[in-house]
Amino acid sequence: MKNKIITFLLLIYSITCFSQKEINWQDLSKVTFTDKYFKEYKGYFKYPTFSASIKALEGKRITLKGYFLDIIQAENVFILSKGPMASCFFCGAGGPETAVEIQYINTKNFKTDDIVSITGTLKLNSSDVMHFNYILKNCVVTLLEK
């Protein structure tokens, strides 16, 4: 009985680890934004309405390639961006759909503008303005090129 349980757990673990979908920035662009007033912040923020194709990815392990942005290393604030720092969302060169908050588990030090591949579990966020609309949790980051 114990061996059957161990075999079952290993099967579930392997399915979870190896069943991921590679997406691209075009996939994440299937979202619209409206201005919404948040009373607690006394201001308007972009409120996302995610397409059905994006909603279908929530909770799934996905892989995405982009530019690593080391925003506030001491506070573990890291971003994956469609473009390098000089042309990223913060500089007005793209919308909120061009940046993903990453919370990763391998703690290698990457540098801003390193091109990386990230695999993590996608969380969609429309209510917490202190976080990005797209969040990748439990990420594994791999350096592709410097």
Side-chain angles (χ1 to χ4, degrees):
M1 181 67 166
K2 185 176 178 181
N3 286 341
K4 287 182 182 180
I5 293 172
I6 291 171
T7 302
F8 176 75
L9 291 174
L10 286 172
L11 176 65
I12 296 298
Y13 176 76
S14 64
I15 289 170
T16 303
C17 287
F18 299 109
S19 62
Q20 64 216 20
K21 177 178 175 63
E22 186 161 338
I23 66 167
N24 60 42
W25 293 101
Q26 183 67 29
D27 296 323
L28 294 182
S29 71
K30 296 173 183 162
V31 59
T32 57
F33 296 95
T34 54
D35 289 334
K36 180 178 178 182
Y37 186 77
F38 284 81
K39 185 170 42 173
E40 60 272 24
Y41 298 105
K42 297 179 179 147
Y44 287 89
F45 291 86
K46 298 285 184 194
Y47 183 82
T49 301
F50 301 108
S51 69
S53 63
I54 292 175
K55 287 180 182 177
L57 295 172
E58 184 166 25
K60 303 266 187 333
R61 299 257 326 146
I62 62 164
T63 298
L64 182 63
K65 296 175 184 161
Y67 292 87
F68 182 85
L69 303 183
D70 184 355
I71 304 300
I72 308 172
Q73 187 175 22
E75 296 179 24
N76 292 322
V77 178
F78 305 106
I79 305 300
L80 182 69
S81 175
K82 180 179 178 181
M85 181 65 107
S87 63
C88 74
F89 167 60
F90 300 109
C91 299
E97 73 282 1
T98 64
V100 176
E101 179 179 336
I102 56 175
Q103 300 168 355
Y104 65 104
I105 54 180
N106 59 327
T107 57
K108 296 177 184 172
N109 287 323
F110 298 98
K111 295 181 179 140
T112 292
D113 288 343
D114 279 349
I115 299 174
V116 297
S117 174
I118 297 184
T119 299
T121 304
L122 181 64
K123 177 182 177 196
L124 303 179
N125 173 38
S126 60
S127 60
D128 186 350
V129 298
M130 299 307 292
H131 291 276
F132 281 64
N133 298 133
Y134 297 119
I135 302 169
L136 280 178
K137 295 178 153 275
N138 301 315
C139 295
V140 176
V141 184
T142 304
L143 181 65
L144 296 177
E145 55 183 271
K146 288 195 174 243

